[in-house]
Amino acid sequence: MAIVGGSEEATVVVRNKQVILREYVPASGFPKESDMCVTTIGTIKLMLPDQVGSDGVLVKNLYLSCDPSQRSRMTKYEPSTNICMPHAFTIGKPIRGYGVAEILVCGHPNFEKGDLVWGITGWEEYSVLTKPAADTLTKIQHTDVPLSYYTGILGMPGMTAYIGFYEICSPKKGQYVFISAASGAVGQLVGQSAKLQGCYVVGSAGSKEKVDLLKNKFGFDDGFNYKEEPDLNAALKRSVADGLSENWENVGGKMLDAVLLNMRIGDRIAMCGMISRYNLGQAEGVHNLIYLVAKRVRMEGFLVPDYYHLYLKFLELVLPYINEGKIVDVEDKAQGLESGPAALVELFTGRNVGKQVVVVALE
Amino acid sequence: MAIVGGSEEATVVVRNKQVILREYVPASGFPKESDMCVTTIGTIKLMLPDQVGSDGVLVKNLYLSCDPSQRSRMTKYEPSTNICMPHAFTIGKPIRGYGVAEILVCGHPNFEKGDLVWGITGWEEYSVLTKPAADTLTKIQHTDVPLSYYTGILGMPGMTAYIGFYEICSPKKGQYVFISAASGAVGQLVGQSAKLQGCYVVGSAGSKEKVDLLKNKFGFDDGFNYKEEPDLNAALKRSVADGLSENWENVGGKMLDAVLLNMRIGDRIAMCGMISRYNLGQAEGVHNLIYLVAKRVRMEGFLVPDYYHLYLKFLELVLPYINEGKIVDVEDKAQGLESGPAALVELFTGRNVGKQVVVVALE
């Protein structure tokens, strides 16, 4: 730490380790660790509040979240195909994503120095966030839970589970719910919510360890390892002989085709992502959409930022569940920013168990 | 006509020409005329009311409807794949479908001799209909329109257009609506309804003649011949530069993929069928479902029989439109039961223009 000038507060300069995107990832194919690099040569000046502007904050990042949606920002799409992709990351700059941070310097009227917040930040030790990013930060009011939960159960994945489950699917007691990618950040929460609602819950995941977690830790009624099932339709039938009522779709492709064969009349499919598609230039085709007609099924996509005005309502529901141990959040914590690139790319090979978090600094 | 016994009413025996299914059509491939045959050797006894039973009627069929959904009943699916297909037709028996008929002999409490009805009947000159078919017949109250309209605009296709448009999509004035298979029985009605609602309406069809019909007869704002468009995405963009608001999906496959690329945020897709898929053992894959998430789109399948309780409400809306000439119904009439097999199979090659009807008898 270098102190320049007379006032420590004014001009402390600190190292700012960063995860930089070295080059864009082709649309087709998995991202590699080497697409990113960790630099330790950068510094940042811990400036005065008036230097971050009336819409800005300077934060110290504590936890960073690995989310499937970051994949699409690692590719630069041609304008013609980039119809609804978020802006690509900038080469040579830190990648971005959800995280938990502490405000060190504050010019923004919604926050104060020392506030803990969650929202979109940079993959680096310190970030200056201005409009519009700073406006979308959420102040953390409840600190009696692990702060890393605000990257998972109490952050975007938790809200995704809540909105898809209560606002899109609205399953009722006794109904049959199937969740693909069920041990992931969102899936595990949907499954536990469905159990609390009195549903019969089945999940699929990509290893025996994960399936055990579904059944033994999250209380799912049944689960299967999709990698060991030659016939996904048969696997679903075995678990839910009478057909599904609701489906939480995280995967797409062959799994969605099997789900479509097993829906019941009037059922609903909430779609919050398709992890099987993110690394494919051309997504796997889905062949059984005709069953949407025959079974009168509603399939609905949603993006959780549209629903952030319901965040306080969500917290009122979920915080007591967490405090009473009725919902557990399994996290997979990678230690240090250096481990970030590996943690992120392994999300797509399914190495993580539960919510993948990168620990940047101790609280 | 042979009169047997002393009373004409009791025992008139008449010829009963029939369209018989000779053999099941493979799941993959188009049906052929030769899969059916027209027999003229059968007869039917015009029995007494008590002979048709308290739940039965004997009808004289006037018009028969060619509908895409008849295709799936021409194949005998293995029980494991036949998850939501209707029962296959019976080999050696007349095929079945919607039609308009006159009740000649009536034992059913809902009807009287001489009533005109529409509903599911046999492809033959005369049919005995008992439970449950007779219960689902609808008495025709308004005969100041062509009776054949009850196979189209005032029957199942009309109700399909109405329900999908008003109950599933609910588009608003100024919104952009795209309809695939737009010159068909349902598509033409959806398009005209959308125009009456003040929408901007674009349709696709399979010939220049049909596209001319869309624009000049049905008042569509734009249309294109999908067979001459190497890039359906580009064709849609050309017609609706700002993206679609609502989509009426009759086709599936590549057209649905192009539609998914061009939806606007929060849009809706009503799915009432997928004619591109009916003759394929394995349907064409749909690759762009991820856009349901990114654009928060709701895609909903429906079957119109679930909504027949709304039929009178539908008639109140549509009859004035017909009488005032605000909605036109273009029909493609094949003359005589003999022309039925060709009319039905040509539905799938797109030869028909408008609602394909088979005229069995003069009114």
Side-chain angles (χ1 to χ4, degrees):
Chain A
M1 185 183 293
I3 300 175
V4 181
S7 154
E8 182 177 345
E9 190 180 3
T11 51
V12 174
V13 173
V14 295
R15 182 199 66 188
N16 192 18
K17 208 184 292 182
Q18 298 180 312
V19 176
I20 301 288
L21 186 65
R22 288 156 55 109
E23 53 194 342
Y24 287 119
V25 180
S28 175
F30 286 86
K32 305 181 301 295
E33 263 189 79
S34 60
D35 295 325
M36 292 163 275
C37 64
V38 181
T39 70
T40 55
I41 55 169
T43 58
I44 188 166
K45 192 167 72 173
L46 303 187
M47 66 279 277
L48 287 170
D50 61 359
Q51 292 180 288
V52 296
S54 62
D55 58 5
V57 293
L58 186 151
V59 300
K60 180 181 182 187
N61 293 309
L62 305 177
Y63 298 100
L64 295 171
S65 175
C66 297
D67 292 299
S69 57
Q70 289 170 291
R71 168 65 183 89
S72 53
R73 303 190 65 184
M74 300 176 81
T75 295
K76 184 87 171 177
Y77 290 94
E78 292 299 312
S80 66
T81 60
N82 185 17
I83 293 167
C84 53
M85 294 297 177
H87 290 300
F89 295 136
T90 305
I91 296 292
K93 296 280 185 185
I95 67 169
R96 298 172 68 78
Y98 282 94
V100 172
E102 180 188 351
I103 294 184
L104 298 190
V105 182
C106 188
H108 194 289
N110 293 2
F111 309 106
E112 291 178 5
K113 180 177 172 178
D115 278 353
L116 294 163
V117 292
W118 71 268
I120 301 279
T121 185
W123 276 43
E124 54 193 341
E125 289 176 293
Y126 301 90
S127 297
V128 174
L129 305 173
T130 55
K131 260 189 191 303
D135 291 342
T136 63
L137 295 172
T138 302
K139 182 172 171 179
I140 294 174
Q141 308 279 3
H142 301 270
T143 54
D144 54 344
V145 292
L147 285 184
S148 56
Y149 279 18
Y150 289 92
T151 67
I153 190 168
L154 294 176
M156 181 275 287
M159 270 295 280
T160 302
Y162 170 77
I163 295 301
F165 192 74
Y166 290 100
E167 301 283 324
I168 310 285
C169 275
S170 335
K172 290 169 193 62
K173 187 174 175 177
Q175 290 191 324
Y176 290 76
V177 174
F178 174 71
I179 302 155
S180 53
S183 72
V186 175
Q188 57 171 285
L189 303 178
V190 176
Q192 293 178 86
S193 302
K195 283 309 301 174
L196 286 169
Q197 193 81 355
C199 299
Y200 187 90
V201 181
V202 177
S204 68
S207 72
K208 182 179 178 305
E209 179 192 8
K210 291 180 183 179
V211 173
D212 288 346
L213 197 69
L214 297 184
K215 293 200 268 194
N216 302 326
K217 183 93 179 177
F218 302 136
F220 281 44
D221 295 287
D222 206 352
F224 58 87
N225 176 356
Y226 70 90
K227 292 181 179 169
E228 291 188 348
E229 297 288 348
D231 181 345
L232 294 172
N233 179 24
L236 265 178
K237 280 212 189 329
R238 197 177 60 224
S239 299
V240 194
D242 297 334
L244 299 165
S245 303
E246 313 295 335
N247 173 60
W248 187 278
E249 182 50 35
N250 293 315
V251 174
K254 291 188 183 65
M255 182 57 85
L256 179 54
D257 266 337
V259 161
L260 287 166
L261 286 175
N262 287 284
M263 297 299 288
R264 287 204 271 196
I265 287 172
D267 291 348
R268 296 196 180 183
I269 301 179
M271 300 187 79
C272 74
M274 286 190 153
I275 199 169
S276 81
R277 139 3 139 183
Y278 289 129
N279 302 298
L280 300 170
Q282 164 83 305
E284 272 187 286
V286 174
H287 298 273
N288 292 335
L289 288 175
I290 190 69
Y291 292 94
L292 293 183
V293 181
K295 299 283 188 84
R296 298 84 145 172
V297 169
R298 178 190 290 181
M299 183 154 83
E300 186 162 356
F302 69 100
L303 287 179
V304 75
D306 297 345
Y307 296 89
Y308 276 154
H309 59 283
L310 299 175
Y311 184 65
L312 290 180
K313 189 177 159 200
F314 158 72
L315 280 187
E316 276 173 29
L317 178 85
V318 78
L319 277 171
Y321 284 147
I322 293 174
N323 290 330
E324 294 160 20
K326 290 184 178 168
I327 288 189
V328 295
D329 188 21
V330 170
E331 298 181 311
D332 197 330
K333 282 184 175 159
Q335 297 296 329
L337 206 47
E338 297 78 4
S339 63
L344 183 56
V345 302
E346 287 172 355
L347 198 64
F348 298 99
T349 58
R351 194 208 49 77
N352 63 304
V353 177
K355 171 66 202 176
Q356 181 67 60
V357 186
V358 178
V359 183
V360 184
L362 296 178
E363 296 169 24
Chain B
M1 183 183 295
I3 300 176
V4 181
S7 156
E8 182 177 346
E9 189 179 3
T11 51
V12 174
V13 173
V14 295
R15 182 199 69 189
N16 192 18
K17 208 184 292 180
Q18 297 181 313
V19 175
I20 301 288
L21 186 66
R22 289 158 55 111
E23 54 194 342
Y24 286 120
V25 179
S28 176
F30 286 86
K32 305 182 301 297
E33 262 190 80
S34 59
D35 295 325
M36 294 163 273
C37 65
V38 181
T39 70
T40 54
I41 56 170
T43 58
I44 188 166
K45 192 167 72 173
L46 302 188
M47 64 280 275
L48 287 170
D50 60 359
Q51 292 180 286
V52 296
S54 63
D55 59 4
V57 292
L58 186 150
V59 299
K60 180 181 181 189
N61 293 308
L62 305 177
Y63 298 100
L64 295 171
S65 175
C66 296
D67 292 300
S69 57
Q70 289 170 291
R71 169 65 185 87
S72 53
R73 304 190 64 184
M74 300 178 82
T75 295
K76 184 87 172 176
Y77 290 94
E78 292 300 313
S80 66
T81 59
N82 186 15
I83 293 166
C84 53
M85 293 298 177
H87 291 301
F89 294 134
T90 306
I91 296 292
K93 297 279 186 188
I95 67 169
R96 298 173 68 78
Y98 282 94
V100 172
E102 181 188 349
I103 294 185
L104 298 189
V105 182
C106 187
H108 194 289
N110 293 2
F111 309 105
E112 291 178 4
K113 179 176 171 178
D115 278 354
L116 294 163
V117 293
W118 71 268
I120 301 277
T121 186
W123 276 43
E124 55 193 341
E125 288 176 293
Y126 301 90
S127 297
V128 173
L129 304 173
T130 54
K131 262 189 189 302
D135 291 342
T136 63
L137 295 173
T138 300
K139 182 172 169 180
I140 293 174
Q141 307 280 4
H142 301 271
T143 54
D144 54 344
V145 291
L147 286 183
S148 56
Y149 278 18
Y150 289 92
T151 67
I153 191 167
L154 295 176
M156 182 275 285
M159 272 295 280
T160 302
Y162 170 77
I163 295 302
F165 191 75
Y166 290 100
E167 301 283 323
I168 311 285
C169 274
S170 334
K172 291 170 193 63
K173 187 174 175 177
Q175 289 190 325
Y176 290 75
V177 174
F178 174 70
I179 302 153
S180 52
S183 72
V186 175
Q188 57 171 287
L189 303 178
V190 176
Q192 292 179 86
S193 302
K195 282 309 301 175
L196 286 169
Q197 193 81 355
C199 299
Y200 187 90
V201 181
V202 177
S204 68
S207 72
K208 182 179 178 305
E209 179 193 8
K210 291 178 183 180
V211 174
D212 288 345
L213 197 67
L214 297 183
K215 293 200 268 192
N216 303 326
K217 183 94 178 176
F218 301 138
F220 281 44
D221 295 288
D222 206 353
F224 59 85
N225 175 356
Y226 71 89
K227 291 182 180 168
E228 292 188 349
E229 296 289 346
D231 181 344
L232 294 172
N233 179 24
L236 266 178
K237 280 210 188 333
R238 198 178 57 222
S239 298
V240 195
D242 297 333
L244 299 165
S245 304
E246 314 293 335
N247 173 60
W248 186 279
E249 183 50 35
N250 294 314
V251 173
K254 291 187 183 67
M255 182 57 85
L256 179 54
D257 267 336
V259 161
L260 287 165
L261 287 175
N262 287 285
M263 297 299 287
R264 287 205 270 197
I265 287 172
D267 291 348
R268 296 194 179 182
I269 301 179
M271 300 186 78
C272 74
M274 286 188 153
I275 199 170
S276 81
R277 137 6 137 184
Y278 289 128
N279 302 297
L280 301 169
Q282 164 83 307
E284 273 188 284
V286 173
H287 298 272
N288 291 336
L289 289 175
I290 189 70
Y291 292 95
L292 292 183
V293 181
K295 299 282 188 87
R296 299 83 145 170
V297 169
R298 178 190 289 181
M299 183 155 81
E300 186 161 356
F302 69 101
L303 288 178
V304 73
D306 298 346
Y307 296 88
Y308 277 155
H309 58 283
L310 299 176
Y311 184 65
L312 290 181
K313 189 176 159 201
F314 157 72
L315 281 187
E316 276 172 29
L317 179 84
V318 78
L319 276 171
Y321 283 148
I322 294 175
N323 290 329
E324 294 161 20
K326 289 183 178 169
I327 289 188
V328 295
D329 189 20
V330 170
E331 298 181 310
D332 197 329
K333 283 183 175 161
Q335 297 298 329
L337 206 49
E338 297 78 3
S339 62
L344 182 56
V345 302
E346 287 173 356
L347 198 64
F348 298 99
T349 57
R351 195 209 48 78
N352 63 303
V353 178
K355 171 67 202 175
Q356 181 67 60
V357 185
V358 178
V359 183
V360 184
L362 296 179
E363 296 168 23

